[in-house]
Amino acid sequence: MRKLLNTLFVTTQDAYLSLDGENIVVKNEEETLGRYPLHNLEAVCTFGYAGASPALMGACAARNISLTFLTRNGRFLARVIGEDRGNVVLRKEQYRISDNERRSALVARNIIVGKLYNSKWILERATRDYPLRIDVDRMKRVTASLSETMKLVRNVEDLGILRGLEGTAAVQYNSVFDDLILQQKEHFSFRGRSKRPPLDNVNALLSFAYTLLANDMKAALEAVGLDAYVGFLHRDRPGRASLALDLMEELRGVYADRLVLSLINKRIINSKGFHKKENGAVIMDEDTRKQVLKAWQERKQEKIIHPYLHEKISWGLVPYAQALLLARFIRGDLDEYPPFLWK
Amino acid sequence: MLILITYDVSTSSAEGRRRLTRVSKKCLDYGQRVQNSVFECILDTTQFRRLKYELEELIDTEKDSLRFYNLGDKYKTKVEHLGIKHSYDMEGPLIL
């Protein structure tokens, strides 16, 4: 497995990114904020609006470094994609599967099994760790029904039914998600998912974490030569990276939700960093966003044993590993797509 | 792994000064300048070999010298810094 390289986040508003030799140079007016060799980077995420030089975009594309532009509040704007990589044969097979509802469903159901398994694990682990602070009976009821749904999903070959099952499971998971928040309850509570814009602190954090995960997922899919925009569970829609959203499903919980929970429960962030705008949208201030990014990067460095590959890799390589496994399935080297089943 | 590179390039002639700029630019492509002619680079074995080869091409072995210190992967316990010119940690969170 390849080595996980670093991600550079630029949150300074007026920063301009340019290329100098083999370095990315970040400038604010005339002052140089940083200079980093490109070969140490995996991705660059910028929240500023001054932009980047075409030379840098080209250099990033050539070296397979993902370069993403986000708004000040962390919403996705654009991404630089270079020449297509990988194998046409692989991509054409991906399109064939995507065009075929039944074949799509066979991949999609494995993804959903992964998602349900991981959600269940998050809840079970919380019940085990905090039996006195959590309504154990309620939690047990939800995990039992998630197991039931998982059994049903395994035999479904229809995308419509799959989406229905996934939807009900998500409702159940969300109904107890608030119970997992154990600290700072007065400022952080979860009453259901709201997005574009997020209407409370928890949703603002979740949206931000999902954007980061989506970027990692898109970059990983492209690195293995798949088309991030052609999905199986999520259907085609212009500008939507459907395949990235598909593969994200199984990672949302273990990757993003858990990070958000630990940021709140360990009091790494607090309510002072959130502001409500007139339209009800909640945005984070710059310091809070930096805290989240720092925690995100540190989590990515942590090592785990990949449950399917049995190989020690860093968390940050999990999207890449799953993209690789999906490519192997599409190529016909694996009989089924093995989802990421974390425990 | 962390490679520490130091060099001495003779600047008595115009040719030497040109070599000095080239060597320092090459080192900068691969890592960060921590002191005037001292560079720290996070490299894998291939990158290290390539850098060594490229630098060898640039210097005049009669007049200049180059030294490479391999500090391995656990370099964090081996480096201590005092005084000005703080460096960044290439493997820690990079947020500007």
Side-chain angles (χ1 to χ4, degrees), chain A residues 3 6-12 21-23 26 33 35-37 39-41 290 293-294 297 301, chain B residues 1 25 27-32 40-44 47 50 73 88-96:
Chain A
K3 188 173 181 268
N6 213 335
T7 306
L8 170 66
F9 294 99
V10 182
T11 60
T12 315
E22 289 289 306
N23 284 233
V26 183
L33 297 177
R35 156 190 289 276
Y36 307 103
H39 73 254
N40 290 132
L41 293 178
K290 277 188 188 170
L293 291 173
K294 190 166 162 270
Q297 275 309 96
Q301 303 286 346
Chain B
M1 57 195 179
K25 271 212 172 127
C27 289
L28 205 54
D29 278 350
Y30 285 85
Q32 68 170 318
E40 282 180 10
C41 311
I42 306 277
L43 304 170
D44 60 31
Q47 288 163 337
R50 187 166 51 200
D73 286 321
Y88 60 82
D89 172 10
M90 193 61 226
E91 297 191 302
L94 293 179
I95 303 169
L96 288 178

Side-chain angles (χ1 to χ4, degrees), chain A residues 76 218 229 236-242:
Chain A
F76 175 81
K218 282 181 233 171
Y229 290 80
D236 300 350
R237 190 192 289 167
R240 174 162 85 172
S242 300

Side-chain angles (χ1 to χ4, degrees), chain A residues 84-138:
Chain A
D84 263 328
R85 269 154 209 294
N87 188 329
V88 229
V89 186
L90 175 71
R91 257 198 307 276
K92 277 177 94 174
E93 185 60 19
Q94 179 193 348
Y95 299 153
R96 271 183 223 118
I97 298 178
S98 171
D99 278 340
N100 183 323
E101 289 257 336
R102 197 184 149 264
R103 290 181 72 193
S104 293
L106 295 183
V107 187
R109 77 174 181 200
N110 283 12
I111 292 172
I112 293 176
V113 166
K115 177 178 180 166
L116 296 182
Y117 184 95
N118 292 335
S119 311
K120 195 181 133 200
W121 173 81
I122 293 171
L123 301 180
E124 269 175 3
R125 176 139 163 185
T127 346
R128 211 176 333 126
D129 289 352
Y130 308 101
L132 298 175
R133 308 182 60 181
I134 277 175
D135 185 345
V136 176
D137 287 339
R138 200 149 81 103

